[in-house]
Amino acid sequence: MPFAIQHIDHIALTVRDVERATRWYCDVLGFEHRYPGLWGGVPAMLFAGDTGIALFPVRAAIPKPSPASDTIAMMHLAFRVDRAGFVKAQDHLSALGIAFEFQDHDISHSIYFSDPDGHRLEITTYEVPG
């Protein structure tokens, strides 16, 4: 192989309101808004460590709904945490009134929830109690 991928740099998401989504990702998931004045603020570049999200405004008066699992598309965006972070994430989301669904995947535990624009998000840990 002539090159090696190091990691995903960022994922680009379209949102109804870039400022609202920026606040949500920073307040709820702890992302940091970097380069706020760059490119006129679009996209908003958010980072948690090396994980980046670029938020773009949707360019339609009536946006199409998120695709379901019967459509070729990204189904969800998953963030990995350690076991303590997994417990804290559940407590944090509950305190904010954000509903989530727990799933036991045998090798990992995950919680699933949505951002204000309906993007499906996952927080997962591979530190599963034995």
Side-chain angles (χ1 to χ4, degrees):
M1 192 73 195
F3 63 93
I5 300 288
Q6 295 176 340
H7 58 82
I8 293 174
D9 180 74
H10 69 275
I11 188 97
L13 300 176
T14 53
V15 296
R16 287 178 183 86
D17 182 327
V18 172
E19 289 180 25
R20 177 187 72 165
T22 297
R23 282 191 306 275
W24 190 89
Y25 277 91
C26 291
D27 295 346
V28 174
L29 297 181
F31 276 77
E32 172 192 356
H33 187 187
R34 296 184 193 164
Y35 322 112
L38 191 62
W39 308 308
V42 176
M45 297 299 297
L46 311 180
F47 290 87
D50 290 333
T51 299
I53 296 176
L55 300 175
F56 290 87
V58 67
R59 301 208 188 282
I62 302 174
K64 296 177 184 175
S66 297
S69 61
D70 62 351
T71 305
I72 295 176
M74 185 179 76
M75 292 175 55
H76 61 265
L77 176 57
F79 304 104
R80 187 186 301 186
V81 295
D82 61 16
R83 187 72 195 175
F86 187 71
V87 172
K88 288 179 184 177
Q90 291 173 79
D91 292 343
H92 181 63
L93 293 174
S94 292
L96 293 173
I98 298 172
F100 58 87
E101 172 192 343
F102 172 86
Q103 288 188 16
D104 183 341
H105 302 295
D106 294 327
I107 63 166
S108 67
H109 286 170
S110 298
I111 54 173
Y112 295 89
F113 56 101
S114 296
D115 76 2
D117 290 286
H119 297 292
R120 189 90 165 132
L121 306 174
E122 173 186 0
I123 296 178
T124 191
T125 184
Y126 287 87
E127 296 176 15
V128 179

